[in-house]
């Protein structure tokens, strides 16, 4: 059962998209209660794709169920694209894209760096997005055309214009094949070029929010699923940055190589990462 939250402050943006964000907030609240219950408590861990380092817990699954129940209660016709279950297609142009727990490895180790990520796409474009850093009580939100926010603070990307001014983050695809080798090579290349440093935080959604808030200047990962990047992409763009695939194109709602930056160093970084 979903509990409604108080109205969000009125901000620019179409009324429908603000309402979608309000619904996402209510759904995230239902998911957050589940994650809080399991954080640093005993977990049942199941391995995915026979890789012992690729795991799912009951917190991931129950959180997704709670979020999906809330969204379907309000928008039964919309598609759902979420990490832990397949929901089929409804034929609607709207798709909710959900990562119930981004940063499962951190969560399972008691590391307070994980998030809930919920986005709504109209065809291939995000119109509302929310990423909640639960342990720091930082909720990042964006509605297309009305800016990006962390709680009540408006976000804007950093002003770095050259690579030596940049702090980056990255992540490693569970596949650990060619993508992993390429990422390691590129990290070495970037450090050699004199960037400030590189981080691996462990939640792609939060990495993108850190780009949006200007804490870091860019993030890249050689393979992500749409639930990892959908909400973060809109948040970065609404904060003045750019998120593309390796060709500089919109990744849409398919698995993709992702580069998110403040926009000013995007071209230069893409050239190195290609
Ligand atoms: C993972 C995290 C991680 C990224 C992986 C993702 P999960 O998501 O976002 O930072 O490097 O590629 O799969 O499995 O914790 O939801
Ligand atoms: Ca994820
Ligand atoms: Ca996840």
């Amino acid at each position: 059962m979903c509990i409604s939250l108080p109205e969000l402050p009125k901000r620019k943006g179409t009324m429908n998209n603000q309402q979608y964000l309000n619904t996402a907030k209510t759904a995230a609240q239902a998911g957050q209660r589940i994650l809080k219950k399991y954080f640093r408590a005993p977990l049942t861990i199941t391995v995915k794709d026979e890789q012992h380092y690729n795991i799912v817990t009951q917190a991931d699954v129950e959180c997704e169920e709670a979020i999906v129940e809330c969204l379907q209660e309000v928008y039964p016709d919309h598609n759902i694209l979420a990490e832990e279950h397949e929901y089929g297609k409804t034929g609607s142009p709207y798709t909710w894209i959900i990562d119930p727990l981004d940063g499962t490895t951190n969560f399972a180790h008691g590391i307070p760096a994980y998030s809930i990520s919920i986005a709504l796409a109209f065809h291939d474009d995000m119109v509302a997005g929310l990423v909640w850093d639960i342990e720091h009580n930082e909720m990042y939100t964006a509605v297309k055309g009305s800016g990006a926010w962390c709680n009540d603070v408006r976000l804007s990307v950093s002003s770095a214009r050259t690579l030596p001014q940049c702090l980056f983050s990255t992540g490693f695809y569970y596949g650990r094949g060619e993508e992993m080798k390429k990422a390691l090579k590129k990290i070495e290349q970037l450090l050699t070029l004199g960037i400030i440093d590189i981080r691996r935080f462990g939640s792609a959604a939060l990495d993108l929010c850190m780009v949006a808030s200007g804490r870091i200047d860019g993030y890249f990962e050689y393979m992500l699923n749409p639930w990892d990047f959908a909400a973060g992409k809109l948040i970065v763009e609404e904060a003045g940055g750019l998120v593309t695939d390796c060709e500089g194109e919109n990744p849409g709602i398919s698995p993709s190589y992702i580069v998110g930056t403040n926009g000013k160093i995007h071209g230069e970084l893409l050239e190195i990462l290609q």
Side-chain angles (χ1 to χ4, degrees), residues 48 54-55 60 83-84 99-106 170-174 200-205 207 219 221 223-225 227-228:
K48 282 185 176 175
N54 186 359
I55 57 167
D60 300 70
E83 182 168 15
E84 309 304 343
D99 193 333
L101 172 46
D102 188 47
T104 298
T105 302
N106 283 345
T170 190
F172 304 113
Y173 177 58
Y174 289 113
R200 199 287 192 241
F201 294 114
S203 162
D207 285 292
Y219 159 73
E221 186 158 342
M223 189 48 69
L224 283 179
N225 282 302
W227 45 80
D228 299 311

Side-chain angles (χ1 to χ4, degrees), residues 86-128:
E86 286 194 16
Y87 297 86
K89 296 229 162 111
T90 64
S92 166
Y94 285 99
T95 305
W96 289 97
I97 305 170
I98 304 150
D99 193 333
L101 172 46
D102 188 47
T104 298
T105 302
N106 283 345
F107 188 91
H109 285 79
I111 297 169
Y114 62 89
S115 60
I116 289 175
S117 175
I118 303 176
L120 180 65
F122 179 69
H123 294 292
D124 263 2
D125 288 315
M126 306 308 153
V127 294

